[in-house]
Amino acid sequence: MAEPEFTARGVRIGKGMRSLTRAGRVRISDGRLELLTSQGSEIDSAPVRTVRASKPWFATDDRAQADVNGHRYQLTLTERDSAPGEPGPPAGRRFIEAVRRAAGRGG
């Protein structure tokens, strides 16, 4: 298995007003986006080229949306997933850029 192109832990994943997990994982690997619970169970997954990632209006920089298989998920990502010693861009923006890069849409 190839090294994941993007991984975030401790992600709050919600759908509508409902929270699905408060400590989930988001992973982009081998051309697929996976949304996982804290125990590793799959919430949803799809080929990354079919996923639409965006930042909700008026949201903080740690927030992002992902449209996966016709479902819209709200993601709250933390900054602690940056490489050690590197603050990097806000977590929401890193996720959106990773989806675009993996799908070949530029970043």
Side-chain angles (χ1 to χ4, degrees):
M1 179 179 269
E3 185 71 23
E5 299 162 35
F6 178 86
T7 302
R9 298 180 189 284
V11 179
R12 182 194 173 281
I13 302 173
K15 186 174 167 188
M17 297 296 288
R18 204 173 59 155
S19 178
L20 301 175
T21 183
R22 292 186 293 162
R25 289 186 289 170
V26 175
R27 182 172 54 202
I28 298 174
S29 181
D30 296 329
R32 285 191 75 75
L33 169 80
E34 297 175 305
L35 303 176
L36 307 166
T37 66
S38 57
Q39 290 85 26
S41 299
E42 185 176 289
I43 295 170
D44 209 342
S45 71
V48 75
R49 70 186 185 304
T50 66
V51 174
R52 194 176 124 227
S54 60
K55 183 178 182 299
W57 283 20
F58 304 108
T60 58
D61 287 338
D62 63 347
R63 302 281 312 270
Q65 286 183 163
D67 292 331
V68 181
N69 295 325
H71 302 282
R72 178 169 291 166
Y73 296 96
Q74 289 79 36
L75 309 174
T76 304
L77 300 104
T78 62
E79 289 298 324
R80 68 176 180 251
D81 294 309
S82 297
E86 293 182 27
R93 188 177 326 140
R94 281 196 336 264
F95 167 72
I96 294 165
E97 290 170 358
V99 168
R100 291 180 181 159
R101 229 181 3 262
R105 295 184 286 234

